[in-house]
């Protein structure tokens, strides 16, 4: 492929080299007619700027702060370290620094304290898991007022101050879980939708999954399941869910909307005479153990490592190469079973 210079582009467009330079680097005034001519040629030759040269010429360092739940408290977030390390190794030579700040996912005060600390550091951008809806919206607004870019992962929340969201379509995720459940459970039976330890999660995060799950069955003409929602917490030994299982005469499946699917599999060890299918989320070691033994039937992989990596990459390439930030990046919804989980472990 021919390498076009600014002089070549100027000749093709019938404008001056200065005009081409202003269009490419988006500086100075250009007439609408000249802009149209230059952009037409750029499109025809599929012009790609020398991004590395532009970055080195910029000669500025950027700081991105990652605000995440402490993985020692909630192991779902452990893979994020690999995603952060991957992004840092790719961009550190170009002046990108990534600082990680952890908060207690059970404590709103911890979340607010970490955000206040990060705000004082005045980074160029933050990427966060907005577990606490109201507190997250307030913090995001404060960052925006300070001209700090904000990317969020995993939990979608509505705010005009968010520059980028990376995660999954949770409603569609719930629908996929429902389709899987329909395939492995008898008709006219009861299915429990289990929300475990709601304080670990943005409530709407679980409700979106439930909405997709219920929507699927409500729109299905071939099934007649009874769906029961159960909120249960560990401090009460998940008694609400235990009693629901114990009192049901026709339960065939449990859909767990969080990563604590293994808690349900362990609970069902107390009911050896019941044949109950389990569908849940995430590749935690305890989940995989029960998946491999056949006690969990399917897991949906939310891929937190890829979420944080893509969010950081969007921010880094915006700073370095002036690339536009995509408002929404939706990850594929991967269905994991005992036969394919190994291929996902080293991703």
């Amino acid at each position: 492929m021919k390498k076009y210079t600014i002089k070549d582009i100027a000749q093709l467009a019938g404008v001056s080299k200065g005009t081409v330079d202003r269009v490419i680097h988006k500086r100075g005034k250009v007439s609408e007619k000249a802009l149209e001519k230059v952009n037409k040629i750029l499109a025809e030759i599929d012009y790609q700027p020398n991004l590395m040269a532009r970055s080195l010429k910029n000669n500025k360092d950027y700081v991105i702060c990652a605000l995440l739940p402490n993985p020692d408290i909630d192991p779902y977030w452990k893979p994020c370290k690999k995603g952060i390390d991957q992004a840092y190794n790719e961009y550190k030579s170009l002046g990108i620094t990534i600082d990680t700040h952890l908060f207690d996912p059970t404590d709103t005060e911890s979340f607010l304290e970490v955000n206040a600390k990060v705000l004082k550091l005045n980074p160029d951008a933050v990427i966060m898991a907005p577990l606490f809806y109201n507190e997250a919206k307030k913090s995001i607004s404060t960052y925006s007022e300070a001209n700090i870019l904000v990317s969020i992962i995993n939990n979608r929340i509505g705010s005009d101050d968010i520059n980028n969201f990376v995660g999954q379509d949770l409603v569609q995720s719930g629908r996929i879980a429902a389709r899987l459940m329909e395939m492995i459970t008898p008709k006219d039976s009861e299915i429990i939708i289990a929300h475990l330890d709601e304080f670990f999660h943005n409530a709407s995060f679980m409700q979106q999954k439930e909405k997709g799950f219920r929507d699927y069955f409500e729109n299905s003409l071939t099934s007649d399941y009874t769906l029961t929602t159960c909120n249960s917490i560990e401090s009460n030994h998940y008694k609400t869910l235990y009693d629901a299982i114990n009192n049901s005469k026709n339960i065939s499946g449990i859909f767990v909307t969080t990563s604590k699917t293994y808690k349900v599999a362990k609970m069902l060890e107390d009911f050896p005479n019941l044949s109950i299918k389990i569908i849940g989320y995430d590749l935690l070691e305890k989940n995989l153990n029960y998946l491999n033994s056949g006690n969990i039937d399917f897991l949906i992989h939310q891929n937190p490592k890829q979420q944080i990596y893509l969010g950081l990459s969007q921010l880094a390439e915006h700073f370095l190469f002036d690339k536009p930030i995509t408002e929404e990046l939706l990850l594929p919804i991967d269905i994991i079973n005992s036969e394919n989980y190994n291929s996902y472990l080293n991703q």
Side-chain angles (χ1 to χ4, degrees):
M1 293 180 64
K2 180 179 178 180
K3 184 175 181 180
Y4 289 87
T5 65
I6 286 181
K7 181 179 178 181
D8 295 330
I9 296 168
Q11 290 176 344
L12 291 169
V15 299
S16 69
K17 290 188 292 182
T19 297
V20 175
D21 181 79
R22 287 193 292 275
V23 172
I24 289 175
H25 297 102
K26 299 179 181 177
R27 57 191 178 206
K29 293 184 178 179
V30 178
S31 71
E32 195 164 324
K33 185 176 181 181
L35 178 65
E36 186 177 330
K37 285 183 177 180
V38 174
N39 281 335
K40 182 174 183 292
I41 296 300
L42 294 178
E44 288 177 358
I45 66 174
D46 191 25
Y47 174 78
Q48 299 293 325
N50 189 334
L51 299 179
M52 183 65 74
R54 178 184 293 179
S55 171
L56 295 175
K57 186 178 179 181
N58 191 27
N59 196 29
K60 183 183 184 314
D61 293 333
Y62 296 93
V63 176
I64 304 172
C65 288
L67 286 74
L68 295 170
N70 189 331
D72 291 336
I73 300 173
D74 186 354
Y76 166 74
W77 301 99
K78 278 187 178 179
C80 286
K81 184 181 185 304
K82 290 185 178 180
I84 292 171
D85 290 346
Q86 181 181 352
Y88 176 66
N89 289 332
E90 287 184 16
Y91 297 108
K92 64 181 178 180
S93 63
L94 300 177
I96 295 292
T97 298
I98 303 171
D99 293 332
T100 302
H101 301 264
L102 303 177
F103 61 87
D104 183 341
T106 69
D107 184 4
T108 56
E109 285 302 316
S110 172
F111 179 77
L112 290 172
E113 286 172 7
V114 170
N115 276 278
K117 175 184 174 183
V118 168
L119 184 64
K120 289 180 180 179
L121 297 174
N122 193 32
D124 297 283
V126 299
I127 182 166
M128 71 159 70
L131 256 60
F132 306 104
Y133 184 85
N134 293 327
E135 290 78 6
K137 286 196 72 171
K138 180 180 177 181
S139 296
I140 290 167
S141 176
T142 305
Y143 289 129
S144 179
E145 290 171 3
N147 294 316
I148 298 170
L149 298 184
V150 180
S151 177
I152 63 172
I153 63 169
N154 205 66
N155 302 17
R156 188 202 306 268
I157 63 175
S159 172
D160 293 335
D161 296 321
I162 295 171
N163 299 94
N164 167 251
F165 165 73
V166 183
Q168 291 182 340
D169 182 334
L170 299 182
V171 174
Q172 187 61 33
S173 170
R175 291 185 61 86
I176 290 172
R179 177 69 182 104
L180 292 170
M181 190 67 80
E182 184 183 45
M183 292 168 58
I184 59 176
T185 56
K187 313 303 180 192
D188 305 323
S189 60
E190 179 184 5
I191 297 170
I192 291 178
I193 302 168
H195 301 314
L196 302 187
D197 296 323
E198 188 173 357
F199 59 81
F200 266 83
H201 308 273
N202 181 334
S204 67
F205 178 71
M206 295 182 284
Q207 291 163 4
Q208 288 177 64
K209 295 174 181 176
E210 178 177 355
K211 181 181 186 304
F213 195 84
R214 287 185 175 275
D215 284 351
Y216 176 85
F217 284 115
E218 288 172 4
N219 295 323
S220 175
L221 301 177
T222 60
S223 61
D224 187 20
Y225 290 90
T226 299
L227 304 182
T228 303
T229 299
C230 181
N231 294 281
S232 201
I233 57 176
E234 187 170 21
S235 61
N236 196 30
H237 305 289
Y238 302 113
K239 186 176 185 304
T240 308
L241 178 58
Y242 191 95
D243 289 345
I245 297 170
N246 193 41
N247 296 330
S248 175
K249 297 179 180 179
N250 196 28
I251 181 173
S252 65
I254 300 176
F255 170 46
V256 187
T257 58
T258 71
S259 60
K260 294 194 171 185
T261 313
Y262 65 92
K263 298 277 189 179
V264 177
K266 181 174 178 58
M267 183 182 295
L268 289 183
E269 292 174 357
D270 290 347
F271 302 92
N273 295 326
L274 296 181
S275 176
I276 298 177
K277 305 299 184 181
I278 303 176
I279 296 174
Y281 285 85
D282 305 316
L283 307 189
L284 276 63
E285 182 179 354
K286 291 180 180 179
N287 283 344
L288 293 176
N289 289 339
Y290 279 112
L291 182 76
N292 199 37
S293 66
N295 298 95
I296 292 175
D297 296 275
F298 294 104
L299 293 168
I300 293 175
H301 185 26
Q302 297 183 108
N303 207 339
K305 174 194 168 185
Q306 188 71 352
Q307 290 186 43
I308 192 84
Y309 168 75
L310 290 175
L312 288 168
S313 296
Q314 285 272 307
L315 293 169
E317 298 202 359
H318 171 72
F319 291 134
L320 296 172
F321 310 135
D322 201 27
K323 287 188 176 182
I325 298 175
T326 305
E327 288 186 12
E328 179 181 83
L329 285 175
L330 294 179
L331 272 62
I333 299 171
D334 294 324
I335 301 168
I336 312 299
N337 60 33
S338 59
E339 301 304 316
N340 70 350
Y341 76 91
N342 269 314
S343 62
Y344 287 87
L345 295 184
N346 295 319
Q347 289 185 357

